[in-house]
Amino acid sequence: MNREDFPILKNNLIYFDNSATTFKPQAVIDSMVDYYTNYTANAHRGDYDNSLKVDIQYEEVRTKVKDFIHAKSEREIIFTSGATDSLNRIVFGYMKTHLKSGDEVLITKAEHASNVLPWLELEKEIGIVVRYIPLENHIVTMENVEKSITEKVKVISLAQVTNVLGDVRPIQEIGKLCQKNHILLVVDGAQSVPHFPVNVEELGIDFLAFSAHKMLGPTGVGVLYGKEKLLEEMRPLEFGGGMNATFSSNGEVEYKSLPSRLEAGTPPIAEVIGMGAAIDYLEKIGMERIHQQEIELKKYFLERAKEVENLVIYNPDLENGLIAFNIDGVFSQDTAVYLNHYHICVRAGNHCAKILKEDLFVKNTCRISFYFYNTKEEVDELIRVLKNTKDLFQIVLS
Amino acid sequence: MDPALKRQILLEHYQNPSHHGLVEEEGYIKINTNNESCIDNLDMMYKIEDGKIQDIRFDGEACAISTSATSIMIDTLIGKTLTEAKEILKNYDAMLNEREYDERLLGDLNLYCDISKQPNRKKCAFLPFESLNKVLENEKRNG
């Protein structure tokens, strides 16, 4: 649906790599061009008209984000460069000063590198202990979460939706459990916020990270959500303009209040404005509708995939818009190169979840990830190509 | 060469690669080659005696181009001196990057002469040579 809004779709291209990044609607592109063409100015600085307009636009996006994820206040919304940046700030700006040696952090082996490596670094730096919640059939179960909790567990950090299999974690139940046990819940929302409604209050999330470019917005901008009392205690990782109130040569420094204190330097203004336009666009369609369209496309794919021999699908039972598969006996990258020959874009590899293979027993998969602008006709073309793989190696090796 | 014949040879090397499978034997240097694409993963082992490559073995998961190139590289290198191997590496690299090279040194590795037209596959074709590169650097340091 809404295909006419995406200029790139005019090219002869079937794009099934939406978990990596999404296409941008004209409205998002226009909003950024408008800023660069008609009212370029820095934020929070001047008293002239354009600067004021920038201020208003920039802060309006904060309100949009707040409403989009149902946060309590604008002071809980920090603009970052993306989910990776947000997670690093959580780990090094908050956890580093609030955890001590021996404290345990629970993650899983299906996490994206961005929710593994910062923790492993902190483990080396201050001696926290990173432990893995065992997966049941690749899935996080409440039973295993409960079993993993000890008195030393201070943080649980999980993707709401994983980027390899697309399973949705029971965040609300985990949130309740965390609250009861005084555990902080960090959620990587990179693969969930773009695809269905997320309500941080209802889910009991303490910190949430996500990126704009996976939800129709520009690259280079994302969001760090944190409960206000937590962000109040977060140490900035960057110091400079825009975040200080006063400072003097004798070393006396006072920083601004939230959210400015955590946004040093000139922010990505055009990108923030673009993200605002993306949120407007998504809300116009409706997040629930987006979710249903993706589920529908996967159902259709699974139905038609029965016609294809030698197709191994790793996550047929998960209700989402993501399919992890291989053609039996064909290396995933060769499958992706073959599909590229027919202008079909899929991702091959381990999808930045390098330790999942220890659990999945498959090192590499091809991944189809739908977004609402994909169509059944595109799935038909994919099936046609997958049914006719006799020339696969001719194509791959030529 | 006829493109169909060329593909046939590559496919044969992919499906039945030479010297596949590691061995439990003393005297081998072990090297893992991870492509920067973070998908291919080849374990290689080299046996070098008196400045000569006596044997190479490999195992792991990689795409058709990487796997066939590994097989052909091994066939080409066994029996060569390290100096000769270095020349082969240099000329193969030149071929992939469209510089002048001596095709007489490359044998069946010439089958990859068109890969430069597909820049995203160059890394795959070069992957096994990353391990040779490491072996040569090692030997230089130790030698």
Side-chain angles (χ1 to χ4, degrees), chain A residues 163-244:
Chain A
N163 70 321
V164 182
L165 298 176
D167 51 309
V168 183
R169 271 75 179 269
I171 294 297
Q172 192 163 13
E173 283 175 87
I174 297 172
K176 281 184 192 145
L177 198 64
C178 284
Q179 213 166 16
K180 205 173 86 188
N181 292 283
H182 307 291
I183 294 168
L184 289 173
L185 178 58
V186 178
V187 173
D188 170 3
Q191 302 293 349
S192 61
V193 176
H195 298 283
F196 53 73
V198 170
N199 183 322
V200 288
E201 282 292 318
E202 262 178 38
L203 295 170
I205 294 172
D206 292 301
F207 288 110
L208 176 74
F210 60 96
S211 299
H213 73 95
K214 292 186 196 288
M215 45 186 274
L216 310 182
T219 55
V221 67
V223 170
L224 160 63
Y225 159 84
K227 284 200 174 134
E228 195 173 337
K229 65 175 174 23
L230 301 174
L231 288 184
E232 285 291 355
E233 292 178 17
M234 181 176 271
R235 183 180 145 82
L237 296 183
E238 289 186 320
F239 301 86
M243 54 81 71
N244 62 78

Coordinates of all heavy atoms in Angstrom, one line a residue, chain A residues 163-244:
Chain A
N163 N 16.4 -9.4 15.1 CA 16.5 -9.0 13.7 C 16.8 -10.2 12.8 O 16.9 -10.1 11.6 CB 17.6 -7.9 13.5 CG 19.0 -8.4 13.8 OD1 19.2 -9.2 14.7 ND2 19.9 -8.0 13.0
V164 N 17.0 -11.4 13.4 CA 17.3 -12.6 12.6 C 16.0 -13.4 12.4 O 15.6 -13.7 11.2 CB 18.3 -13.5 13.3 CG1 18.6 -14.7 12.4 CG2 19.6 -12.7 13.5
L165 N 15.2 -13.6 13.4 CA 14.0 -14.4 13.3 C 12.8 -13.6 13.5 O 11.7 -14.0 13.1 CB 14.0 -15.6 14.4 CG 15.2 -16.6 14.2 CD1 15.1 -17.6 15.4 CD2 15.1 -17.3 12.9
G166 N 12.9 -12.4 14.0 CA 11.7 -11.6 14.2 C 10.8 -12.0 15.3 O 9.6 -11.5 15.3
D167 N 11.2 -12.8 16.2 CA 10.3 -13.1 17.3 C 10.1 -11.9 18.3 O 11.1 -11.1 18.5 CB 10.9 -14.3 18.1 CG 12.3 -14.1 18.5 OD1 13.2 -13.8 17.7 OD2 12.7 -14.3 19.7
V168 N 8.9 -11.8 18.8 CA 8.6 -10.7 19.6 C 8.7 -11.2 21.1 O 8.1 -12.2 21.5 CB 7.1 -10.2 19.4 CG1 6.8 -9.0 20.2 CG2 6.9 -9.9 17.9
R169 N 9.5 -10.5 21.9 CA 9.7 -10.9 23.3 C 8.5 -10.4 24.1 O 8.0 -9.3 23.9 CB 11.0 -10.3 23.8 CG 12.2 -11.2 23.6 CD 12.7 -11.2 22.1 NE 13.8 -12.0 22.0 CZ 15.1 -11.6 22.1 NH1 15.3 -10.3 22.4 NH2 16.1 -12.4 22.0
P170 N 8.2 -11.2 25.2 CA 7.1 -10.8 26.1 C 7.5 -9.6 27.0 O 7.7 -9.8 28.2 CB 6.8 -12.1 26.9 CG 8.1 -12.8 26.9 CD 8.8 -12.5 25.6
I171 N 7.7 -8.5 26.4 CA 8.3 -7.4 27.2 C 7.5 -6.9 28.4 O 8.0 -6.6 29.4 CB 8.6 -6.2 26.2 CG1 9.7 -6.5 25.2 CG2 9.0 -4.9 27.0 CD1 11.0 -6.9 25.8
Q172 N 6.1 -6.9 28.2 CA 5.3 -6.4 29.3 C 5.4 -7.3 30.5 O 5.6 -6.8 31.6 CB 3.8 -6.4 28.8 CG 3.0 -5.6 29.8 CD 1.6 -5.2 29.2 OE1 1.2 -5.7 28.1 NE2 0.9 -4.4 29.8
E173 N 5.4 -8.6 30.3 CA 5.6 -9.6 31.4 C 7.0 -9.4 32.0 O 7.1 -9.4 33.2 CB 5.4 -11.0 30.9 CG 3.9 -11.4 30.7 CD 3.8 -12.8 30.1 OE1 3.8 -13.7 30.9 OE2 3.8 -12.9 28.9
I174 N 8.0 -9.3 31.2 CA 9.3 -9.1 31.7 C 9.4 -7.8 32.5 O 10.1 -7.8 33.5 CB 10.4 -9.2 30.5 CG1 10.3 -10.5 29.8 CG2 11.8 -8.9 31.0 CD1 11.2 -10.6 28.6
G175 N 8.7 -6.8 32.0 CA 8.7 -5.5 32.6 C 8.2 -5.6 34.1 O 8.7 -5.0 35.0
K176 N 7.1 -6.4 34.2 CA 6.5 -6.6 35.5 C 7.5 -7.3 36.5 O 7.6 -6.9 37.6 CB 5.2 -7.4 35.4 CG 4.0 -6.5 35.0 CD 2.8 -7.4 35.0 CE 1.7 -6.6 34.2 NZ 0.8 -7.5 33.5
L177 N 8.1 -8.3 35.9 CA 9.1 -9.1 36.7 C 10.2 -8.2 37.1 O 10.7 -8.3 38.2 CB 9.6 -10.2 35.8 CG 10.2 -11.4 36.5 CD1 9.2 -12.1 37.4 CD2 10.8 -12.4 35.4
C178 N 10.7 -7.3 36.2 CA 11.8 -6.4 36.5 C 11.4 -5.5 37.6 O 12.2 -5.2 38.6 CB 12.2 -5.6 35.3 SG 13.1 -6.6 34.1
Q179 N 10.2 -5.0 37.5 CA 9.8 -4.0 38.5 C 9.7 -4.7 39.9 O 10.2 -4.1 40.9 CB 8.3 -3.5 38.2 CG 8.1 -2.1 38.6 CD 6.8 -1.6 37.9 OE1 6.0 -2.3 37.4 NE2 6.7 -0.3 38.0
K180 N 9.2 -5.9 40.0 CA 9.1 -6.6 41.2 C 10.5 -6.9 41.8 O 10.7 -6.9 43.0 CB 8.4 -8.0 40.9 CG 7.7 -8.5 42.2 CD 6.9 -9.8 41.8 CE 7.8 -11.0 41.8 NZ 7.1 -12.2 41.3
N181 N 11.5 -7.1 40.9 CA 12.8 -7.5 41.4 C 13.8 -6.4 41.4 O 15.0 -6.6 41.5 CB 13.4 -8.7 40.6 CG 12.6 -10.0 40.8 OD1 12.7 -10.6 41.9 ND2 11.7 -10.3 39.9
H182 N 13.3 -5.1 41.2 CA 14.2 -4.0 41.1 C 15.3 -4.1 40.1 O 16.5 -3.9 40.3 CB 14.8 -3.6 42.5 CG 13.7 -3.5 43.6 ND1 12.9 -2.5 43.6 CD2 13.4 -4.3 44.6 CE1 12.0 -2.7 44.6 NE2 12.3 -3.8 45.2
I183 N 14.9 -4.6 38.9 CA 15.8 -4.7 37.8 C 15.5 -3.7 36.7 O 14.3 -3.5 36.5 CB 15.7 -6.2 37.2 CG1 16.1 -7.2 38.2 CG2 16.4 -6.3 35.9 CD1 15.8 -8.6 37.8
L184 N 16.5 -3.1 36.1 CA 16.2 -2.1 35.0 C 16.0 -2.9 33.7 O 16.8 -3.8 33.4 CB 17.4 -1.2 34.9 CG 17.5 -0.2 36.0 CD1 18.8 0.6 35.9 CD2 16.3 0.8 36.1
L185 N 15.0 -2.5 33.0 CA 14.7 -3.1 31.7 C 15.1 -2.2 30.5 O 14.6 -1.1 30.3 CB 13.2 -3.5 31.6 CG 12.8 -4.1 30.3 CD1 13.5 -5.4 30.0 CD2 11.3 -4.4 30.3
V186 N 16.1 -2.6 29.8 CA 16.6 -1.9 28.6 C 16.1 -2.6 27.4 O 16.2 -3.8 27.3 CB 18.1 -1.9 28.5 CG1 18.6 -1.2 27.3 CG2 18.7 -1.3 29.8
V187 N 15.4 -1.9 26.5 CA 14.8 -2.5 25.3 C 15.4 -1.9 24.0 O 15.4 -0.7 23.9 CB 13.3 -2.4 25.3 CG1 12.7 -2.9 24.0 CG2 12.7 -3.2 26.5
D188 N 15.9 -2.8 23.2 CA 16.4 -2.4 21.8 C 15.1 -2.4 20.9 O 14.7 -3.5 20.6 CB 17.5 -3.3 21.4 CG 17.9 -3.2 19.9 OD1 17.3 -2.2 19.3 OD2 18.7 -3.9 19.4
G189 N 14.7 -1.3 20.6 CA 13.4 -1.2 19.8 C 13.6 -1.0 18.3 O 12.7 -0.7 17.6
A190 N 14.9 -1.2 17.8 CA 15.2 -1.0 16.4 C 14.3 -1.7 15.5 O 13.9 -1.2 14.4 CB 16.6 -1.3 16.1
Q191 N 13.9 -3.0 15.9 CA 13.1 -3.8 15.0 C 11.6 -3.8 15.4 O 10.8 -4.6 14.8 CB 13.6 -5.2 14.9 CG 15.1 -5.3 14.4 CD 15.2 -4.9 13.0 OE1 14.3 -4.7 12.2 NE2 16.5 -4.7 12.5
S192 N 11.2 -3.1 16.5 CA 9.8 -3.2 16.9 C 9.1 -1.8 16.7 O 8.0 -1.8 16.1 CB 9.8 -3.5 18.4 OG 10.4 -2.6 19.2
V193 N 9.8 -0.7 17.1 CA 9.1 0.6 17.0 C 8.6 0.9 15.5 O 7.6 1.4 15.3 CB 10.0 1.7 17.5 CG1 9.4 3.1 17.3 CG2 10.3 1.4 19.0
P194 N 9.4 0.5 14.5 CA 8.9 0.7 13.1 C 7.7 -0.1 12.7 O 7.1 0.2 11.7 CB 10.1 0.4 12.2 CG 11.3 0.3 13.2 CD 10.8 -0.1 14.5
H195 N 7.4 -1.2 13.4 CA 6.5 -2.2 12.9 C 5.2 -2.3 13.7 O 4.2 -2.9 13.1 CB 7.2 -3.5 12.8 CG 8.3 -3.5 11.9 ND1 8.2 -3.5 10.5 CD2 9.7 -3.4 12.1 CE1 9.4 -3.4 9.9 NE2 10.3 -3.4 10.9
F196 N 5.1 -1.9 14.9 CA 3.8 -2.0 15.6 C 3.8 -1.0 16.8 O 4.9 -0.4 17.1 CB 3.5 -3.4 16.1 CG 4.6 -4.1 16.9 CD1 4.8 -3.7 18.2 CD2 5.3 -5.1 16.3 CE1 5.8 -4.4 19.0 CE2 6.3 -5.8 17.1 CZ 6.5 -5.4 18.4
P197 N 2.7 -0.7 17.3 CA 2.6 0.3 18.4 C 3.4 -0.1 19.6 O 3.4 -1.3 20.0 CB 1.1 0.3 18.8 CG 0.4 -0.3 17.7 CD 1.3 -1.3 17.1
V198 N 4.2 0.8 20.1 CA 5.0 0.5 21.3 C 4.6 1.6 22.4 O 4.7 2.8 22.1 CB 6.5 0.6 21.0 CG1 7.3 0.5 22.3 CG2 6.9 -0.6 20.1
N199 N 4.3 1.1 23.6 CA 3.9 2.0 24.7 C 4.8 1.7 25.8 O 4.7 0.7 26.6 CB 2.5 1.7 25.0 CG 1.9 2.6 26.1 OD1 2.7 3.0 27.0 ND2 0.7 3.0 26.0
V200 N 5.8 2.6 26.0 CA 6.9 2.4 27.0 C 6.3 2.3 28.5 O 6.8 1.5 29.3 CB 8.0 3.5 27.0 CG1 8.8 3.3 25.8 CG2 7.4 4.9 27.1
E201 N 5.2 3.1 28.7 CA 4.6 3.0 30.1 C 4.0 1.7 30.3 O 4.2 1.1 31.4 CB 3.6 4.2 30.2 CG 4.3 5.6 30.4 CD 5.0 5.7 31.8 OE1 4.4 5.2 32.8 OE2 6.1 6.2 31.9
E202 N 3.1 1.3 29.4 CA 2.4 0.0 29.6 C 3.4 -1.2 29.6 O 3.2 -2.1 30.4 CB 1.5 -0.2 28.4 CG 0.1 0.1 28.6 CD -0.8 -0.1 27.4 OE1 -0.5 -1.1 26.6 OE2 -1.6 0.8 27.1
L203 N 4.5 -1.1 28.9 CA 5.4 -2.2 28.8 C 6.4 -2.2 30.0 O 7.1 -3.2 30.2 CB 6.2 -2.2 27.5 CG 5.4 -2.4 26.2 CD1 6.2 -2.1 25.0 CD2 4.8 -3.8 26.1
G204 N 6.5 -1.1 30.7 CA 7.4 -1.1 31.9 C 8.8 -1.0 31.4 O 9.7 -1.5 32.1
I205 N 9.1 -0.2 30.4 CA 10.4 -0.1 29.8 C 11.2 1.1 30.6 O 10.6 2.1 30.7 CB 10.4 0.2 28.3 CG1 9.8 -1.1 27.6 CG2 11.8 0.5 27.8 CD1 9.6 -0.8 26.1
D206 N 12.4 0.8 31.0 CA 13.2 1.9 31.6 C 14.0 2.7 30.6 O 14.1 3.9 30.7 CB 14.1 1.3 32.7 CG 13.3 0.7 33.9 OD1 12.6 1.5 34.5 OD2 13.4 -0.5 34.1
F207 N 14.6 2.0 29.7 CA 15.3 2.6 28.6 C 14.9 2.0 27.3 O 14.8 0.7 27.2 CB 16.8 2.4 28.7 CG 17.5 3.2 29.8 CD1 18.0 2.5 31.0 CD2 17.6 4.5 29.7 CE1 18.6 3.2 32.0 CE2 18.3 5.3 30.7 CZ 18.7 4.6 31.9
L208 N 14.7 2.8 26.2 CA 14.4 2.3 24.9 C 15.3 2.9 23.9 O 15.5 4.1 23.9 CB 12.9 2.5 24.6 CG 12.4 2.2 23.2 CD1 12.2 0.6 23.1 CD2 11.1 2.8 22.8
A209 N 15.8 2.1 22.9 CA 16.6 2.7 21.8 C 16.0 2.3 20.5 O 15.6 1.2 20.3 CB 18.0 2.1 21.9
F210 N 16.0 3.3 19.6 CA 15.6 3.0 18.2 C 16.1 4.0 17.2 O 16.6 5.1 17.6 CB 14.1 2.8 18.0 CG 13.2 4.0 18.4 CD1 12.8 4.9 17.4 CD2 12.8 4.2 19.7 CE1 12.0 5.9 17.7 CE2 12.0 5.3 20.0 CZ 11.6 6.1 19.0
S211 N 16.1 3.6 15.9 CA 16.7 4.4 14.8 C 15.6 4.9 13.9 O 14.6 4.1 13.6 CB 17.6 3.6 14.0 OG 18.7 3.1 14.8
A212 N 15.8 6.1 13.3 CA 14.8 6.6 12.4 C 14.8 6.0 11.1 O 13.7 5.8 10.4 CB 15.0 8.1 12.2
H213 N 16.0 5.6 10.6 CA 16.1 5.1 9.2 C 15.4 3.8 9.0 O 15.1 3.4 7.8 CB 17.5 5.0 8.8 CG 18.3 3.9 9.3 ND1 18.4 2.7 8.7 CD2 18.9 3.8 10.5 CE1 19.1 1.9 9.5 NE2 19.4 2.5 10.6
K214 N 15.1 3.0 10.0 CA 14.3 1.8 9.9 C 12.8 2.0 9.9 O 12.0 1.1 9.9 CB 14.7 0.8 11.0 CG 16.2 0.3 10.9 CD 16.5 -0.8 11.9 CE 17.9 -1.0 12.1 NZ 18.6 -1.7 11.0
M215 N 12.4 3.3 10.0 CA 11.0 3.6 10.1 C 10.7 4.8 9.2 O 10.1 5.8 9.6 CB 10.5 3.8 11.5 CG 11.4 4.7 12.3 SD 10.9 4.8 14.1 CE 9.7 6.1 14.0
L216 N 11.3 4.7 7.9 CA 11.0 5.7 6.9 C 11.8 7.0 7.0 O 11.8 7.9 6.2 CB 9.5 6.1 6.8 CG 8.5 5.0 6.7 CD1 7.1 5.6 6.5 CD2 8.8 4.0 5.5
G217 N 12.5 7.2 8.1 CA 13.2 8.4 8.4 C 14.6 8.4 7.8 O 15.0 7.4 7.2
P218 N 15.3 9.5 8.0 CA 16.7 9.6 7.5 C 17.7 8.8 8.3 O 17.4 8.4 9.5 CB 17.0 11.1 7.6 CG 16.1 11.6 8.6 CD 14.9 10.7 8.6
T219 N 18.9 8.5 7.8 CA 19.9 7.9 8.6 C 20.5 9.0 9.5 O 20.3 10.2 9.3 CB 21.1 7.4 7.7 OG1 21.5 8.4 6.8 CG2 20.6 6.2 6.8
G220 N 21.3 8.5 10.5 CA 22.0 9.5 11.3 C 21.2 10.1 12.5 O 21.7 10.9 13.2
V221 N 20.0 9.6 12.7 CA 19.3 10.1 13.9 C 18.5 8.9 14.5 O 18.0 8.0 13.8 CB 18.3 11.3 13.5 CG1 17.2 10.8 12.5 CG2 17.8 11.9 14.7
G222 N 18.3 9.0 15.8 CA 17.6 8.0 16.5 C 17.2 8.5 17.8 O 17.3 9.7 18.1
V223 N 16.6 7.7 18.7 CA 16.1 8.1 19.9 C 16.6 7.3 21.1 O 16.7 6.1 21.0 CB 14.5 8.0 19.9 CG1 13.9 8.3 21.2 CG2 14.0 9.0 18.8
L224 N 16.9 8.0 22.2 CA 17.1 7.3 23.4 C 15.9 7.8 24.3 O 15.7 9.0 24.6 CB 18.4 7.8 24.1 CG 18.6 7.6 25.6 CD1 18.5 6.1 26.0 CD2 19.9 8.2 26.1
Y225 N 15.1 6.8 24.7 CA 14.1 7.1 25.7 C 14.6 6.6 27.1 O 15.2 5.5 27.1 CB 12.8 6.4 25.4 CG 11.9 6.2 26.6 CD1 11.0 7.2 27.0 CD2 11.9 5.0 27.4 CE1 10.2 7.1 28.2 CE2 11.1 4.9 28.5 CZ 10.3 5.9 28.9 OH 9.5 5.8 30.1
G226 N 14.4 7.3 28.1 CA 14.7 6.9 29.5 C 13.7 7.5 30.4 O 13.3 8.6 30.2
K227 N 13.4 6.7 31.5 CA 12.5 7.3 32.5 C 13.3 8.6 33.1 O 14.5 8.5 33.2 CB 12.3 6.3 33.6 CG 11.3 5.3 33.2 CD 10.7 4.6 34.4 CE 9.6 3.7 34.0 NZ 9.7 2.3 34.6
E228 N 12.5 9.6 33.4 CA 13.1 10.9 33.7 C 14.1 10.8 34.8 O 15.2 11.3 34.8 CB 12.0 11.9 34.0 CG 12.6 13.3 34.0 CD 11.5 14.4 34.1 OE1 10.3 14.1 33.8 OE2 11.8 15.5 34.6
K229 N 13.8 10.0 35.9 CA 14.7 10.0 37.0 C 16.0 9.3 36.6 O 17.0 9.5 37.2 CB 14.0 9.3 38.2 CG 13.6 7.9 38.1 CD 13.0 7.3 39.4 CE 12.5 6.0 39.4 NZ 12.8 4.9 38.5
L230 N 15.9 8.4 35.7 CA 17.1 7.7 35.2 C 18.0 8.6 34.4 O 19.2 8.7 34.5 CB 16.8 6.4 34.4 CG 16.0 5.4 35.2 CD1 15.5 4.3 34.2 CD2 16.7 4.8 36.4
L231 N 17.3 9.3 33.4 CA 18.1 10.2 32.6 C 18.7 11.4 33.4 O 19.8 11.9 33.0 CB 17.2 10.8 31.5 CG 16.8 9.9 30.4 CD1 15.9 10.6 29.3 CD2 17.9 9.2 29.7
E232 N 18.0 11.8 34.5 CA 18.6 12.8 35.4 C 20.0 12.4 35.9 O 20.8 13.2 36.1 CB 17.7 13.0 36.6 CG 16.4 13.8 36.3 CD 16.7 15.3 36.0 OE1 17.8 15.7 36.1 OE2 15.7 16.0 35.6
E233 N 20.1 11.1 36.0 CA 21.4 10.6 36.6 C 22.4 10.1 35.5 O 23.4 9.6 35.8 CB 21.1 9.4 37.6 CG 20.4 9.9 38.8 CD 20.1 8.8 39.8 OE1 20.7 7.7 39.6 OE2 19.3 9.0 40.6
M234 N 22.0 10.3 34.2 CA 22.8 9.8 33.1 C 23.9 10.8 32.9 O 23.7 12.0 32.9 CB 22.0 9.6 31.8 CG 22.9 9.1 30.7 SD 21.9 8.8 29.2 CE 21.5 7.1 29.5
R235 N 25.1 10.3 32.8 CA 26.3 11.2 32.6 C 26.4 11.4 31.0 O 26.4 10.5 30.3 CB 27.5 10.5 33.1 CG 28.8 11.4 33.0 CD 30.0 10.5 33.6 NE 31.2 10.8 32.8 CZ 32.0 11.8 33.0 NH1 31.7 12.7 34.0 NH2 33.1 12.0 32.3
P236 N 26.5 12.7 30.6 CA 26.7 12.9 29.1 C 28.0 12.2 28.7 O 29.0 12.2 29.4 CB 26.8 14.4 29.0 CG 26.4 15.0 30.3 CD 26.6 13.9 31.3
L237 N 28.0 11.6 27.5 CA 29.3 11.1 27.0 C 30.0 12.1 26.1 O 31.1 12.0 25.8 CB 29.0 9.8 26.1 CG 28.4 8.6 26.9 CD1 28.2 7.5 25.9 CD2 29.2 8.3 28.1
E238 N 29.2 13.2 25.8 CA 29.8 14.3 25.0 C 29.6 15.6 25.7 O 28.5 15.8 26.3 CB 29.2 14.3 23.6 CG 29.7 13.2 22.8 CD 29.2 13.3 21.3 OE1 28.0 13.8 21.1 OE2 30.0 13.0 20.4
F239 N 30.6 16.4 25.7 CA 30.5 17.7 26.4 C 30.8 18.8 25.4 O 31.7 18.7 24.6 CB 31.5 17.8 27.6 CG 31.3 16.7 28.6 CD1 31.8 15.4 28.4 CD2 30.5 16.9 29.7 CE1 31.6 14.4 29.3 CE2 30.2 15.9 30.6 CZ 30.8 14.6 30.4
G240 N 30.1 19.9 25.5 CA 30.4 21.0 24.6 C 29.2 22.0 24.5 O 28.5 22.2 25.5
G241 N 29.0 22.5 23.3 CA 28.0 23.5 23.1 C 26.6 22.9 23.3 O 26.3 21.8 23.1
G242 N 25.7 23.8 23.7 CA 24.3 23.5 23.7 C 23.9 22.7 25.0 O 22.7 22.7 25.3
M243 N 24.8 22.2 25.7 CA 24.5 21.4 26.9 C 24.9 22.0 28.2 O 24.6 21.5 29.3 CB 25.0 19.9 26.8 CG 26.5 19.7 26.5 SD 27.5 19.9 28.0 CE 27.1 18.4 28.8
N244 N 25.7 23.1 28.1 CA 26.1 23.7 29.4 C 25.3 25.0 29.7 O 24.9 25.7 28.8 CB 27.6 24.1 29.3 CG 27.9 25.1 28.2 OD1 27.6 26.3 28.4 ND2 28.3 24.6 27.0

